[in-house]
Amino acid sequence: MQEKSSRIPGFYKLSLEERLRLVADFAGLSGEEVETLKKVGNLDLKIADIMIENVIGTMAYPFAVAVNFLINGRDYLIPMVIEESSVVAAASNAARVMRRDGGIRARTTGPLMIGQIQVLGLRDPWYQRMIVLEHKEEILDLANAQDPVLVKLGGGAKDVEARVVEGPRGPMLIVHLIVDVRDAMGANAVNTMAEAVSPLIEKITGGRTHLRIISNLADKRLVRAWVKVYKEEIGGENVVDAIVDAWAFAAADPYRAATHNKGIMNGVIAVALATGQDHRAIEAGAHAYAAKDGRYRPLSVWEKDKDGNLVGSLEMPMAVGIVGGATKVHPVARIALKILGVKTATELAEVMGAVGLAQNFAALRALATEGIQKGHMKLHARNIAVMAGATGELVDRVAQIMIEEGKIRFDYAKELIEKLSKEGEVGKN
Ligand code: MEV
């Protein structure tokens, strides 16, 4: 259990060095790990070169930490890698009003992934479906023989399902291998098993196996997160109603649901990137799940309880790992996992579900009250000011004038910097 609190008022006002020191202290980072985070090129070219093909360099993104998160009664600092401003601040603000009663709750269904085997050339796929199910134990044994380590850890192939799917080229038999992948994302283990059992499936059915690959619609590996936000924490029942109305829009309209879910993914994917996950798999799973009843829907639900408080919940697939892939190879991903202090992939999934829910709340709250641009513009104006060459006090001064005058532009920032520096109102240090 983490002893230290993640509730850190004014974290954003500290210097980068001070923030890093605080995080290092919270997570027990070594001096070397601290140096790695500070280093511009913190992915060695040699490691980059073995991660993917045709490498010619690396590209750095900002690595930040969202504060204030209390999930299942435990304090977490949340590492986030993202190019968009406001997201980390919004997550931290949301988490601050979600700390009562043990904070955000989250649970998972367990790390079960699905491997798909497409069987073609069957005269009677409905009959062959039964034959496959009759041979379930044999199929499972062969699958499990591929990965004794996973089996020893309590994972492995656990079940076989078979479906007849009507396609544009006629009916096909689709066999699902259900694999408990424990702490891995699982693609390698599942794909190996799917390929290994396909000759047996051909023998049993007399058909021809075609594709053998994991499904990213990981609907047996769900995370559920939920939270109660007390009305007085967010400005009263009017704000609660405004947020529920915002959710109702997404529930009724796929055009809005896509953006609503994008807000959730802002949080989820930022943590996925920081911890070296296959974020495309998470994205694909999320959107397929959002459309599972034939219409694209929001992944979260926001309601008002009998006391007028806001209650939110989120359910989505979360295929993440803490072993294998980039999680162990990338030095920064390793540090991110250390900052989180998660012990299992399931715990990581719970954290990510909670972050998604908090991120979604932050967006809806802003949209349903002052609008998203106010906060965004404040940060954007600061960025423009810095890009135009402002330093020190000049950053906020230039940003403020640009906001007040509604002219948040690079050329205007330059003009202001020159003018203010000349006037000597503020030193340009
Ligand atoms: C922007 O990155 C995310 C939002 O558009 C999400 C939403 O509309 O709910 C603000």
Side-chain angles (χ1 to χ4, degrees), residues 7 11 65-69 87-97 359:
R7 173 81 190 100
F11 186 71
V65 156
V67 293
N68 304 334
F69 273 84
V87 170
V88 179
S92 303
N93 281 334
R96 183 171 44 82
V97 297
Q359 200 76 59

Side-chain angles (χ1 to χ4, degrees), residues 96-362:
R96 183 171 44 82
V97 297
M98 295 179 166
R99 289 183 63 85
R100 278 216 227 165
D101 307 338
I104 308 166
R105 309 267 154 180
R107 289 285 179 272
T108 56
T109 51
L112 292 176
M113 296 298 287
I114 300 166
Q116 293 196 293
I117 301 151
Q118 180 190 19
V119 193
L120 299 175
L122 297 173
R123 229 180 306 133
D124 187 352
W126 291 270
Y127 176 70
Q128 296 305 336
R129 174 180 173 269
M130 304 313 290
I131 301 291
V132 166
L133 293 175
E134 200 178 50
H135 287 78
K136 175 175 140 176
E137 293 308 325
E138 208 182 322
I139 296 169
L140 290 179
D141 286 347
L142 182 57
N144 283 328
Q146 312 308 312
D147 203 333
V149 177
L150 185 62
V151 173
K152 213 167 135 206
L153 291 169
K158 300 289 180 189
D159 202 3
V160 174
E161 294 173 349
R163 305 151 58 220
V164 177
V165 174
E166 294 285 351
R169 284 163 67 83
M172 309 167 256
L173 176 62
I174 307 297
V175 179
H176 282 187
L177 202 55
I178 313 300
V179 185
D180 181 330
V181 297
R182 301 276 92 190
D183 282 327
M185 183 273 178
N188 269 334
V190 170
N191 293 342
T192 304
M193 286 182 180
E195 288 190 4
V197 300
S198 71
L200 174 60
I201 288 174
E202 287 187 343
K203 199 175 107 198
I204 295 167
T205 61
R208 174 171 63 86
T209 59
H210 196 43
L211 303 196
R212 298 146 304 164
I213 187 74
I214 197 164
S215 170
N216 289 126
L217 175 49
D219 64 357
K220 292 181 192 296
R221 199 179 192 181
L222 299 175
V223 59
R224 298 192 178 97
W226 65 101
V227 71
K228 186 199 280 192
V229 187
Y230 287 86
K231 56 179 187 262
E232 59 274 17
E233 298 270 6
I234 54 171
E237 211 166 319
N238 282 348
V239 178
V240 173
D241 279 322
I243 292 173
V244 176
D245 281 339
W247 165 78
F249 180 9
D253 179 10
Y255 284 92
R256 172 58 206 154
T259 325
H260 178 104
N261 288 343
K262 192 271 185 183
I264 293 171
M265 300 314 273
N266 273 347
V268 170
I269 297 301
V271 183
L273 282 170
T275 56
Q277 305 300 321
D278 179 346
H279 51 95
R280 289 87 54 216
I282 301 171
E283 293 271 6
H287 298 299
Y289 194 70
K292 71 179 188 323
D293 5 289
R295 187 158 75 73
Y296 190 87
R297 293 183 184 283
L299 293 163
S300 64
V301 176
W302 292 96
E303 298 160 293
K304 185 164 79 164
D305 73 4
K306 62 178 181 3
D307 304 315
N309 297 315
L310 181 69
V311 178
S313 58
L314 171 137
E315 183 179 276
M316 64 182 287
M318 195 60 82
V320 292
I322 60 165
V323 297
T327 55
K328 279 281 172 325
V329 181
H330 199 299
V332 181
R334 283 207 306 266
I335 296 172
L337 285 171
K338 188 165 173 182
I339 292 171
L340 275 170
V342 291
K343 298 284 177 296
T344 60
T346 293
E347 189 184 353
L348 176 60
E350 288 172 353
V351 167
M352 289 171 68
V355 174
L357 185 64
Q359 200 76 59
N360 181 217
F361 162 81

Side-chain angles (χ1 to χ4, degrees), residues 63-84:
F63 180 107
V65 156
V67 293
N68 304 334
F69 273 84
L70 188 62
I71 303 164
N72 294 330
R74 184 182 163 179
D75 275 284
Y76 292 91
L77 291 179
I78 311 291
M80 298 176 92
V81 167
I82 189 161
E83 89 299 343
E84 185 178 336

